[in-house]
Amino acid sequence: MHYTSHQGTYFAHRITLEGLGEDALAQSLSTARVDLNPHRVDVALFALSSPLSKGALLADEVGLGKTIEASLVIAQRRAERKRRILLIVPASLRKQWSQELFDKFSLPSSILEGRSYNEARRKGGATPFFQDGRIVITSYEFAAAKAEDVLRGQWDLVVFDEAHRLRNVYRRDGSKRAKALRDATRPFFKLLLTATPLQNSLLELYGLISVIEERFFSDEAACR
């Protein structure tokens, strides 16, 4: 089979995007408009090859670049044509995330909340969480309220920002919202971002890891 020069360029580009290890980030790094400190690249590589089969916890201190690290992973997943991506963030950070993804990585996104959800339904959209290749950004409150929609999303990646909101999920009297989000995202690969994975007890870290992989620590006794 013979390829034209344009076809050859296209396939070479696809091979670059689908590389392994450090090569897998080549395209995402080359197009990012941000200061990429080495530790940020290392963290993104770790997340892309996480020892947890269903995700990773990124717990850099405040200001060290968790947003950029997560954005690198998002950019790479999209480059691999894994474009069903959901960001669950505090309501006050939705616009900031959308702006940073576009400004620094040229990544398109849609903010989904009550008004846009209902408008999509009125236009005949059976699944408003499907945004035709755009990254979906929503709040903790809205994602929990629409947990069934989230579960049906077939996400390639789910990112929780300020994920310490989930750390008491293991408790019987833990947050109902956290439990709903854990259950709704159970089948999907997840990134949890937080500068405070624990404050008072190792069990809080156990709770966060259980959101990613429920039996990684077998049970609570392993962290007591």
Side-chain angles (χ1 to χ4, degrees):
M1 181 179 293
H2 298 285
Y3 297 110
T4 67
S5 60
H6 292 295
Q7 289 172 325
T9 300
Y10 170 79
F11 287 121
H13 181 65
R14 292 305 314 157
I15 290 170
T16 298
L17 296 183
E18 294 171 3
L20 299 174
E22 295 183 5
D23 291 338
L25 273 177
Q27 183 70 10
S28 300
L29 292 174
S30 67
T31 57
R33 294 184 294 275
V34 66
D35 181 19
L36 290 173
N37 295 331
H39 82 271
R40 293 172 177 169
V41 178
D42 288 341
V43 169
L45 287 169
F46 168 81
L48 288 166
S49 57
S50 171
L52 299 181
S53 62
K54 292 185 178 180
L57 170 64
L58 307 186
D60 292 358
E61 293 183 10
V62 174
L64 290 184
K66 291 184 295 299
T67 300
I68 293 172
E69 293 158 3
S71 297
L72 283 172
V73 176
I74 292 169
Q76 182 56 34
R77 285 290 182 254
R78 284 181 55 83
E80 296 167 356
R81 295 191 175 185
K82 298 176 180 178
R83 299 187 173 185
R84 296 283 289 151
I85 297 173
L86 174 65
L87 268 67
I88 300 175
V89 307
S92 61
L93 297 181
R94 291 173 300 180
K95 289 184 179 179
Q96 180 179 325
W97 263 99
S98 182
Q99 193 69 44
E100 291 205 11
L101 286 170
F102 183 77
D103 289 347
K104 296 178 180 177
F105 293 89
S106 301
L107 296 175
S109 64
S110 294
I111 296 174
L112 192 64
E113 34 73 43
R115 182 177 179 180
S116 56
Y117 179 94
N118 292 333
E119 183 177 347
R121 292 297 297 269
R122 282 196 298 272
K123 292 180 178 178
T127 55
F129 274 81
F130 180 71
Q131 293 288 328
D132 194 24
R134 300 173 73 86
I135 298 163
V136 177
I137 302 175
T138 193
S139 68
Y140 277 81
E141 294 80 6
F142 192 77
K146 302 297 181 182
E148 291 186 6
D149 292 75
V150 172
L151 181 59
R152 290 194 297 265
Q154 299 181 336
W155 305 105
D156 296 308
L157 173 65
V158 177
V159 178
F160 287 95
D161 192 18
E162 303 290 339
H164 48 267
R165 295 174 175 225
L166 306 173
R167 62 188 173 202
N168 290 324
V169 69
Y170 69 94
R171 295 171 51 176
R172 289 185 179 180
D173 61 346
S175 165
K176 291 182 179 179
R177 180 184 302 156
K179 292 179 187 295
L181 291 173
R182 177 198 60 194
D183 295 343
T185 61
R186 183 175 279 121
F188 313 121
F189 189 92
K190 294 173 282 290
L191 286 184
L192 274 59
L193 316 180
T194 178
T196 54
L198 59 90
Q199 283 188 318
N200 302 311
S201 167
L202 278 174
L203 286 173
E204 294 172 341
L205 180 60
Y206 165 80
L208 286 176
I209 297 298
S210 72
V211 173
I212 300 172
E213 200 161 313
E214 199 159 0
R215 295 298 177 185
F216 184 79
F217 286 124
S218 68
D219 57 32
E220 296 178 29
C223 292
R224 291 188 182 278

